[in-house]
Amino acid sequence: MSKITTELLLERAVPRSTRLRKIETLNLSKLQLKTGDLDPRLFSRLRHLQKLDLSDNLLDKFPNSLTLPDLRVLDCSNNKLEDVTALKQFPLLEELTYENNVYLTLNDDYKVMFLLQNLRLLNGKDITKLAKHVRHVNTRKLTSKVTAHWEKFFRDQLPEKHTAEQVKSIKKKFLKSVQTNVVYGPSSLSEFTRWRVKMIAEEFLARSLGLELNSDTEPEEKTDDNEEESTESPREAAEEVAQVTVTPSKRKRNSKSSPGNKKCKTQANTKKETEVNPRKSAHVEDDPAPDKPRTSNQPVKEATPEQEAKKAQNNGEEFPKERSNRRSSQMTGEQKSQEQDNSVVTLTPVKNSKRKEDVSAEPLHFLQCHSKGNSREDFKTQLWSCVFEPVLDSGARKDPIVNSSRTVATCGGESVCLIDCETGTVLKKYKVATEEFFSVAWTTLMMVTSDSRKKAHNILAAAGRRGIVKLIHVAADFCYGEIKAHKKPIATVCFSPTQETHLFTASYDKRIALWDIGIPDYDYNFKASQLLVLETASIPLRIALVPTCPEQYLLAGCEGGCFAWNIKLDKGQKSRPFEAIFQFPDGESMTTAHRVDGLAFLNDDVVVSKSSKPGCIYLWSWSRSFDSKGKGCQQTMSAVILAELEWSTTDMSYLTLSTCPAKEYVFCGDEKGSVWMYNLSNYTTAWSSAKGKRSERRISPTQILKWPELRVNGEQPPEILVNNVVADPAFTYLVVLTSVNITAIWKKS
């Protein structure tokens, strides 16, 4: 039954009314409304409605036939809208607000400016001049380009006496070609440009060939994976960029702080899975927080597309596709004077004379390089993922210790940084003003150089809340492409260790996708394709390929348990359910229902996983737990536990773990800024025995690195949570990522 009734509409009218046809202002905000609740038959009776407030609901789209002929003002901010083209049904709209709809971008701003001819205010800003430019100048330029494309490539392909089939064929080819090849304005507007080009091309064919015009302005068909798009929306005003802090609602359990607290902890709500979802932007799954301004949908100031392109470049979102000397300054502009400006704040630890224990690692650097707007006061941005860059001249992947550098990629907030661990220098910084990066991963590709030789280059993949994977050629300071992998945030990414172009993306849409990112040519043209989709029963948080068979099995720690899939590509089935779910001890019984927020392999067989059970890190055997000969899928298998690691008694989730297989170490941070280190080299030989028994006692940490006392402008930072900690393969450096925008680098003594 719909939540909206005649009685509700009369009650929510401003002022209250006795007749639907008399209502001019209606407030339907904060009612948890979904698209299906907007009944066109009921709304059609609101013939004189002029102002409608639908903010703070759960709408993902508008029905196409609401029939509100006199609507002038619409507020649909803080929803889940994915498309704006249905708003064309309100031609008299003058004021429109849709801030904090995380899937809408700058392209959608331009679409509504074109579709709504009377629109004056968009998200509170006067867009009259820019809208006029979009409707007239932009249209004139694109029409000229579309016509020229037809004349040059397609006019002679159509015989003078043509059949209907020939016309249909040429139309299909022309529409595909013109959307791919007609380019105008900045890359951040490529989706809008393609949308308009298709519309203009169809109108052109209707006039020229007498074809029936397709008047549908719904979203265009999905393009081929090799058709490059960019949906990021950098903002031209630095002060707007500084306002946006999309801080993940990371902590859901055992939290004492309010939702607005700097520590970003919120109370648990076990009624809905989406309200106990991971660390990253729970508001993406639930209601976007109204107090978080969203710059991605703020209308831009009056500017031509050429000016927009320049602003986009200055904000560092996309680098131009052409090879030019401008590229290096765009990616490295902030690193050139790191010490002169405040883009990197170095924090100095104060020695604690009370500490008497010997330490095996010493703190080297404490950096604040992911700050919003380069602010020294930013202790809110959470840092999530880091991975060491592989060395190119080390024989490519053969020796993990040799194949490691001292350069680490870190991500959090709107930026990805490359840091020299020894010197603490931020070598490069890549920013997208409307993104929130959650995961990074390296691969090494053999790319063709200008003289047609093949040379190995490191490529960095970065992904986050927008569901888009950015591909960065670090040596060239160039983000050469992106993959629209998911409609919801990407929690984590990883490359296959055996197939260098195979990238796994795990998303809040409860899917893990396998992509072939291809190898870019000299001009950075590349073709990406989706190879496989793994269906998960709950949100995947961590993924790991089984070392002995990385092309056949993948493990994932999810909100609802630990799962395994057969990922062998010769099976033919592109979309696959999980093959096994593992159960773990829960008191006297076994259970599959637990959050697994940490997952990694210690060696070829031993899996390390951290569950929602307080103070619990399990080590278990993959080979003895997984029955590859089992019949059917979705089997329940008991994890063969080898040992438990003693860890913090907190039940705070999403403090993830990592391993250093070459040195047989496990690392995990806690809620107090400490790093728990476990040297397990004395246990692995016994575990590898076919009769290896479970260690009866919990294994204590070899070392706990305590967070040193830090002073920032004479004050200590707020409570520090260690979100991630990673060592290089040789265990020379230990990189600690925190919830307070501090990257700590330790060096082994």
Side-chain angles (χ1 to χ4, degrees):
M1 182 178 177
S2 174
K3 294 181 180 179
I4 299 181
T5 62
T6 300
E7 292 73 19
L8 177 67
L9 294 179
L10 294 173
E11 181 183 337
R12 303 279 292 201
V14 183
R16 289 191 180 185
S17 178
T18 57
R19 300 283 183 98
L20 291 181
R21 58 187 173 86
K22 292 185 178 181
I23 298 176
E24 293 185 359
T25 301
L26 184 60
N27 184 355
L28 297 177
S29 64
K30 300 179 181 179
L31 293 176
Q32 299 291 300
L33 297 178
K34 297 183 179 180
T35 299
D37 295 319
L38 304 183
D39 184 357
R41 290 176 297 179
L42 192 57
F43 273 76
S44 66
R45 298 166 62 185
L46 301 169
R47 304 296 295 176
H48 299 289
L49 184 66
Q50 293 189 17
K51 296 183 179 180
L52 176 60
D53 186 352
L54 289 168
S55 62
D56 298 291
N57 284 298
L58 303 174
L59 304 176
D60 57 5
K61 63 180 179 180
F62 273 95
N64 284 321
S65 53
L66 283 185
T67 318
L68 301 173
D70 206 26
L71 189 65
R72 309 299 174 98
V73 180
L74 175 63
D75 185 352
C76 47
S77 54
N78 296 322
N79 277 277
K80 298 182 178 181
L81 295 176
E82 298 180 4
D83 179 54
V84 295
T85 52
L87 296 175
K88 66 178 180 178
Q89 64 185 298
F90 311 127
L92 299 184
L93 261 187
E94 298 176 0
E95 299 179 22
L96 173 63
T97 304
Y98 52 55
E99 294 176 303
N100 285 326
N101 284 272
V102 296
Y103 303 121
L104 299 184
T105 70
L106 182 65
N107 293 277
D108 298 291
D109 295 352
Y110 275 65
K111 287 180 182 180
V112 295
M113 280 187 260
F114 173 78
L115 291 172
L116 301 173
Q117 300 291 312
N118 292 316
L119 194 66
R120 296 182 297 102
L121 294 177
L122 180 58
N123 294 328
K125 290 191 175 181
D126 188 344
I127 49 91
T128 307
K129 291 183 180 179
L130 179 58
K132 188 177 293 185
H133 181 93
V134 171
R135 295 167 194 150
H136 302 292
V137 179
N138 183 283
T139 297
R140 187 169 63 249
K141 294 278 188 181
L142 291 179
T143 301
S144 174
K145 288 175 175 285
V146 168
T147 304
H149 193 74
W150 169 267
E151 294 293 328
K152 184 174 182 180
F153 298 106
F154 287 90
R155 188 182 67 173
D156 295 336
Q157 293 185 28
L158 193 64
E160 187 173 344
K161 295 182 179 180
H162 46 261
T163 65
E165 282 299 317
Q166 289 174 320
V167 171
K168 184 178 179 181
S169 175
I170 203 74
K171 175 184 177 182
K172 182 178 179 181
K173 292 179 182 178
F174 176 60
L175 290 179
K176 182 176 181 179
S177 176
V178 76
Q179 289 179 78
T180 304
N181 295 290
V182 171
V183 179
Y184 177 65
S187 61
S188 57
L189 289 174
S190 60
E191 181 188 335
F192 166 76
T193 300
R194 186 168 49 256
W195 177 78
R196 281 293 289 131
V197 164
K198 180 183 179 183
M199 196 181 301
I200 292 169
E202 288 179 335
E203 293 170 354
F204 172 80
L205 292 176
R207 292 194 309 268
S208 304
L209 305 178
L211 299 180
E212 183 179 347
L213 180 63
N214 179 12
S215 61
D216 185 13
T217 54
E218 290 301 308
E220 66 276 4
E221 294 178 5
K222 290 185 178 180
T223 57
D224 292 341
D225 290 318
N226 64 330
E227 293 177 15
E228 186 175 331
E229 294 185 48
S230 173
T231 61
E232 309 305 344
S233 44
R235 283 300 162 229
E236 67 275 17
E239 59 270 19
E240 289 184 33
V241 174
Q243 288 176 356
V244 187
T245 305
V246 191
T247 308
S249 253
K250 175 174 179 181
R251 317 297 170 190
K252 291 288 182 180
R253 307 185 52 192
N254 196 28
S255 174
K256 298 180 181 179
S257 55
S258 63
N261 194 301
K262 288 183 179 180
K263 298 161 193 169
C264 304
K265 302 180 191 177
T266 55
Q267 298 271 334
N269 185 338
T270 57
K271 294 181 180 179
K272 295 182 181 179
E273 179 192 18
T274 55
E275 294 177 350
V276 264
N277 65 359
R279 58 211 196 113
K280 307 155 185 152
S281 298
H283 294 303
V284 175
E285 286 288 325
D286 304 313
D287 301 323
D291 59 338
K292 294 178 182 176
R294 171 186 168 278
T295 57
S296 64
N297 290 329
Q298 300 291 336
V300 293
K301 296 177 182 178
E302 296 78 5
T304 65
E306 289 82 357
Q307 291 170 328
E308 283 289 342
K310 186 176 292 184
K311 293 167 186 173
Q313 292 165 7
N314 291 339
N315 268 329
E317 177 224 342
E318 285 278 359
F319 309 114
K321 185 165 183 176
E322 296 78 20
R323 290 172 170 264
S324 71
N325 293 330
R326 290 183 297 172
R327 286 196 319 233
S328 59
S329 64
Q330 284 152 8
M331 192 169 188
T332 61
E334 296 194 45
Q335 96 208 30
K336 292 180 179 178
S337 57
Q338 298 288 7
E339 297 303 325
Q340 283 72 24
D341 62 20
N342 60 356
S343 60
V344 177
V345 179
T346 303
L347 309 176
T348 306
V350 179
K351 291 185 178 180
N352 187 347
S353 59
K354 295 181 180 180
R355 291 180 57 190
K356 298 179 180 180
E357 69 272 17
D358 295 329
V359 295
S360 58
E362 293 288 347
L364 275 187
H365 310 286
F366 292 82
L367 308 175
Q368 220 181 337
C369 51
H370 291 270
S371 300
K372 285 283 184 181
N374 300 328
S375 170
R376 292 177 181 268
E377 309 304 320
D378 181 4
F379 292 101
K380 296 181 180 180
T381 296
Q382 301 220 33
L383 311 182
W384 298 117
S385 175
C386 62
V387 61
F388 279 84
E389 181 180 11
V391 175
L392 291 174
D393 58 356
S394 63
R397 304 173 182 254
K398 292 181 180 179
D399 186 340
I401 295 182
V402 176
N403 194 30
S404 174
S405 70
R406 67 186 198 186
T407 302
V408 68
T410 62
C411 74
E414 64 186 13
S415 59
V416 174
C417 294
L418 266 70
I419 302 171
D420 184 323
C421 289
E422 184 63 31
T423 64
T425 304
V426 178
L427 304 173
K428 301 178 190 294
K429 188 171 184 178
Y430 172 66
K431 295 175 68 174
V432 176
T434 58
E435 181 61 278
E436 184 179 9
F437 288 106
F438 294 151
S439 187
V440 285
W442 289 100
T443 190
T444 303
L445 302 181
M446 296 299 295
M447 298 168 61
V448 178
T449 61
S450 57
D451 55 0
S452 300
R453 293 186 298 108
K454 288 187 176 182
K455 185 178 179 181
H457 289 272
N458 285 333
I459 302 298
L460 184 67
R465 71 190 298 263
R466 303 197 70 90
I468 296 172
V469 178
K470 295 287 188 180
L471 300 173
I472 305 170
H473 183 193
V474 174
D477 302 334
F478 186 33
C479 176
Y480 69 85
E482 61 181 29
I483 301 171
K484 288 188 171 183
H486 301 270
K487 282 191 174 182
K488 293 193 176 182
I490 295 173
T492 187
V493 298
C494 79
F495 279 100
S496 166
T498 55
Q499 300 291 330
E500 64 274 7
T501 63
H502 286 190
L503 175 69
F504 289 89
T505 58
S507 170
Y508 278 48
D509 61 12
K510 300 180 184 178
R511 291 181 176 90
I512 300 171
L514 170 59
W515 302 86
D516 188 334
I517 67 168
I519 298 178
D521 62 19
Y522 177 66
D523 293 318
Y524 289 103
N525 299 307
F526 73 105
K527 182 177 181 180
S529 58
Q530 189 182 85
L531 304 178
L532 196 62
V533 175
L534 309 177
E535 303 290 344
T536 68
S538 58
I539 297 170
L541 305 175
R542 294 288 164 195
I543 55 178
L545 294 161
V546 178
T548 54
C549 44
E551 296 178 14
Q552 185 164 4
Y553 290 108
L554 176 139
L555 268 178
C558 304
E559 280 286 351
C562 187
F563 301 83
W565 287 264
N566 188 323
I567 58 172
K568 201 166 185 179
L569 292 176
D570 61 4
K571 291 187 67 175
Q573 186 181 2
K574 189 172 181 180
S575 180
R576 301 177 191 175
F578 63 86
E579 190 158 305
I581 179 171
F582 295 94
Q583 57 182 1
F584 292 83
D586 183 21
E588 299 299 322
S589 60
M590 300 286 282
T591 182
T592 59
H594 64 139
R595 178 188 297 118
V596 178
D597 56 12
L599 183 72
F601 275 86
L602 179 62
N603 55 33
D604 286 350
D605 184 59
V606 177
V607 186
V608 188
S609 63
K610 185 169 78 69
S611 75
S612 52
K613 182 180 177 182
C616 178
I617 298 177
Y618 286 118
L619 289 95
W620 50 285
S621 168
W622 160 260
S623 61
R624 281 178 258 174
S625 303
F626 182 73
D627 179 11
S628 60
K629 297 179 181 179
K631 295 181 180 180
C633 62
Q634 300 190 354
Q635 303 174 80
T636 299
M637 301 178 180
S638 296
V640 177
I641 306 297
L642 302 174
E644 287 186 46
L645 302 183
E646 179 186 333
W647 184 65
S648 169
T649 55
T650 181
D651 63 353
M652 192 173 289
S653 299
Y654 316 119
L655 304 173
T656 195
L657 58 79
S658 69
T659 61
C660 180
K663 298 297 183 179
E664 299 181 306
Y665 263 84
V666 174
F667 308 97
C668 191
D670 67 13
E671 78 286 4
K672 298 179 180 179
S674 299
V675 176
W676 299 56
M677 305 193 305
Y678 308 84
N679 183 350
L680 302 175
S681 56
N682 293 332
Y683 299 89
T684 53
T685 302
W687 292 337
S688 63
S689 168
K691 297 181 180 180
K693 295 182 179 180
R694 173 176 177 174
S695 302
E696 294 300 326
R697 295 182 179 180
R698 284 191 173 187
I699 299 175
S700 300
T702 308
Q703 181 85 42
I704 299 179
L705 296 180
K706 298 291 185 180
W707 187 264
E709 182 183 352
L710 295 178
R711 296 289 183 184
V712 183
N713 298 327
E715 298 182 0
Q716 290 189 11
E719 181 184 24
I720 294 168
L721 312 171
V722 175
N723 290 336
N724 203 344
V725 52
V726 174
D728 68 294
F731 190 16
T732 303
Y733 304 99
L734 198 63
V735 180
V736 179
L737 303 183
T738 70
S739 61
V740 293
N741 189 29
I742 297 176
T743 301
I745 301 175
W746 299 69
K747 186 174 183 180
K748 190 176 180 182
S749 302

